[in-house]
Amino acid sequence: MIEAYIQEYHQITPSLTQPLWLKQWRDEALQLFSQQGFPTPHHEDWKYTRVTPILKQHFLRAPVSHSTFPPSSSLHGEYYRLTFCDGHLQKHLSDLNHLPAEIIICDRETAYHHYPQIMQHYLTPHSSHAFGLLNAALSDQGAFIFLPRHTVLDKPLLLHFIHTQSHTATHLRNLIIAEENSQATIIEQYDTQQPTLEYFTNTITEVFAEKNARIQQIKLQLESSKAFHIGHLVAKQAENSEVNSYSFSLGGSLVRSDTSIFLAQAHATTQLMGLYLGKNYQHIDHHTTIEHVTSHCTSSEHYKGILADHAHGVFNGKVIVHPHAQKSHAQQMNNNILLSANAQIDTKPQLEIFADDVKCTHGATIGQLDEDALFYLQSRGVEQAAAHAMLLSAFSDDIINAFPNTALREFLQEKINYYLTLGDHHVQS
């Protein structure tokens, strides 16, 4: 399979319009990818996630298509919008009207032509694992967001990535640059309107938050039941910056979401919140790393999971406090409910502390629904299924309520309600 992707790379490269430096980066990434190969269970970070299903076929880059889907999803509200269909920008489904003049939002291809120096300065040439390297070699699309100093995006930006073609891949790369005292909320939504479409999404989002910048990044992973999704968020934070990341993972057959946060300067703060719902034979893996590089930084992290049927969840959260990171404050928690004897969770919160004046806590829980609470509800006339749904909704409420706007919370609650009560999921007592 490695050879197939190398061959694809050599086939598409002549058709790409790109600066020389990017061509060199692609070549280097491909070479590293060919040397490293795809991860196996022998790789510690992939111990519980076998990528064999992704490697059973060669997902070719999707050709250019023009979507006729309506521009809006069921996510209501006021947004700036960039819509990508199979990885390609759909201008007729995008809306940047009334965008503040100083803020730049466009697709990567446009950014390469108009802002090559910014792209070269900020883009990271390589990645830590094979899928990231494959992304670096093959990606030529994604979103570019540049917030100059003292600018505020006055409403959220929705990046909507729709997949429409079977047996294809999209390698997306988003770049978000928030200069000093800037602020924005950016939503990434990955989905399809064909519930059993088989495809592969391989995406990376890089965030650079300069001094006093505020970025909220929200990821909605709503892929089809046969889709494969590999994603990586990388954020680098300067003094007194704030990056909050919210993750909601509902779809996909095999899902791996990595988050890497670098608190590089003093008083930087980050908050990671996540909720994942798995059923049938879904595999959903979240790997997070938060590095406290310097002193007086704060991080908090809370992920919750609900797993039914034969679903398999993985949570691996690592906080690294470097030797000079005194006065660090880090909290980490992962809570899970298993609704079936066959559902499984592997959770591993970790702290690596190399400083002595810090406050760091971590923990994880795995359990079932509270039988006493179920009995109480049923004794007052609540049907069993409704009682299950009420308790699970209560379990997930604190995560959902953390999402930053009302329309988004309503959208997620609707998805959860469907999952709990109207879908093909059946709670096993």
Side-chain angles (χ1 to χ4, degrees):
M1 189 52 66
I2 294 173
E3 287 299 322
Y5 282 109
I6 293 174
Q7 185 177 358
E8 179 186 357
Y9 174 80
H10 290 298
Q11 289 174 345
I12 68 167
T13 299
S15 65
L16 295 177
T17 303
Q18 56 187 341
L20 179 60
W21 58 266
L22 182 59
K23 171 67 167 56
Q24 292 173 341
W25 285 6
R26 289 185 193 278
D27 289 344
E28 292 169 3
L30 185 76
Q31 184 177 6
L32 290 171
F33 165 72
S34 65
Q35 294 170 354
Q36 183 171 323
F38 287 103
T40 72
H42 297 294
H43 294 81
E44 181 63 26
D45 282 345
W46 295 83
K47 182 177 180 181
Y48 299 109
T49 298
R50 300 190 176 191
V51 301
T52 307
I54 303 177
L55 308 183
K56 287 183 177 178
Q57 61 177 303
H58 179 200
F59 292 96
L60 288 165
R61 281 188 353 145
V64 175
S65 59
H66 298 284
S67 175
T68 58
F69 291 149
S72 63
S73 66
S74 53
L75 179 56
H76 301 297
E78 299 246 342
Y79 304 98
Y80 297 110
R81 182 187 304 269
L82 284 185
T83 301
F84 294 81
C85 180
D86 299 313
H88 304 285
L89 180 65
Q90 307 293 297
K91 291 184 178 178
H92 64 296
L93 300 180
S94 301
D95 182 3
L96 296 177
N97 290 327
H98 309 298
L99 180 71
E102 61 274 23
I103 293 177
I104 301 169
I105 299 176
C106 62
D107 65 315
R108 275 187 58 184
E109 186 174 6
T110 301
Y112 285 135
H113 287 292
H114 295 281
Y115 316 105
Q117 292 182 337
I118 298 177
M119 296 288 282
Q120 185 176 11
H121 178 73
Y122 282 99
L123 271 179
T124 303
H126 302 139
S127 182
S128 57
H129 63 64
F131 290 102
L133 293 169
L134 188 63
N135 178 292
L138 294 179
S139 71
D140 65 340
Q141 274 296 357
F144 173 75
I145 298 102
F146 182 77
L147 305 165
R149 297 176 64 190
H150 308 294
T151 57
V152 176
L153 196 61
D154 54 350
K155 55 186 178 182
L157 168 65
L158 174 60
L159 305 176
H160 194 179
F161 301 100
I162 306 170
H163 222 117
T164 68
Q165 301 181 63
S166 184
H167 305 294
T168 59
T170 56
H171 303 278
L172 301 158
R173 189 77 173 267
N174 305 311
L175 179 60
I176 302 166
I177 303 163
E179 290 195 329
E180 183 176 341
N181 287 313
S182 61
Q183 185 174 334
T185 296
I186 296 160
I187 304 170
E188 299 175 33
Q189 180 175 345
Y190 300 86
D191 65 9
T192 177
Q193 295 190 350
Q194 303 175 65
T196 60
L197 195 71
E198 187 171 2
Y199 58 91
F200 175 34
T201 299
N202 184 17
T203 180
I204 295 176
T205 296
E206 287 185 280
V207 177
F208 294 87
E210 303 295 346
K211 183 179 180 181
N212 297 323
R214 301 284 183 270
I215 293 294
Q216 297 192 95
Q217 185 266 357
I218 300 156
K219 180 177 180 180
L220 307 177
Q221 186 280 109
L222 308 170
E223 307 274 27
S224 86
S225 63
K226 292 186 177 179
F228 303 110
H229 182 103
I230 304 290
H232 195 176
L233 167 68
V234 182
K236 299 178 181 177
Q237 296 185 230
E239 181 181 352
N240 201 39
S241 63
E242 179 179 319
V243 171
N244 296 327
S245 173
Y246 307 87
S247 171
F248 179 72
S249 188
L250 178 62
S253 172
L254 190 161
V255 176
R256 165 75 179 236
S257 288
D258 283 54
T259 300
S260 302
I261 306 289
F262 299 89
L263 303 174
Q265 294 183 2
H267 302 288
T269 65
T270 189
Q271 175 179 257
L272 309 183
M273 303 283 282
L275 178 66
Y276 46 94
L277 309 179
K279 61 183 179 180
N280 299 324
Y281 286 88
Q282 280 183 277
H283 180 99
I284 303 174
D285 180 351
H286 287 88
H287 264 61
T288 68
T289 303
I290 301 173
E291 295 199 46
H292 287 247
V293 179
T294 190
S295 63
H296 295 92
C297 293
T298 302
S299 67
S300 65
E301 181 176 11
H302 195 182
Y303 278 72
K304 284 189 171 182
I306 301 173
L307 301 166
D309 306 325
H310 291 76
H312 184 192
V314 180
F315 174 81
N316 190 313
K318 181 185 295 185
V319 174
I320 303 173
V321 181
H322 289 249
H324 297 294
Q326 304 292 355
K327 304 293 183 183
S328 291
H329 188 189
Q331 295 177 309
Q332 185 186 58
M333 178 59 69
N334 175 231
N335 305 115
N336 300 277
I337 286 183
L338 304 183
L339 300 177
S340 160
N342 295 313
Q344 181 180 354
I345 177 72
D346 291 292
T347 178
K348 187 180 179 183
Q350 303 177 72
L351 293 174
E352 295 184 8
I353 301 173
F354 301 98
D356 53 14
D357 186 8
V358 302
K359 293 181 180 177
C360 298
T361 61
H362 68 164
T365 63
I366 304 170
Q368 292 79 41
L369 282 178
D370 186 333
E371 292 295 334
D372 292 337
L374 276 174
F375 176 79
Y376 175 83
L377 289 171
Q378 290 181 262
S379 69
R380 278 152 179 77
V382 179
E383 296 288 338
Q384 184 186 40
H388 277 106
M390 289 173 66
L391 293 177
L392 292 174
S393 180
F395 172 77
S396 59
D397 266 357
D398 55 342
I399 302 294
I400 294 300
N401 290 334
F403 280 76
N405 69 53
T406 302
L408 186 59
R409 290 194 293 274
E410 291 175 351
F411 173 81
L412 297 177
Q413 197 60 61
E414 182 182 333
K415 295 289 183 185
I416 292 173
N417 290 342
Y418 179 82
Y419 171 87
L420 296 177
T421 61
L422 300 178
D424 58 355
H425 158 64
H426 300 283
V427 174
Q428 298 178 18
S429 300

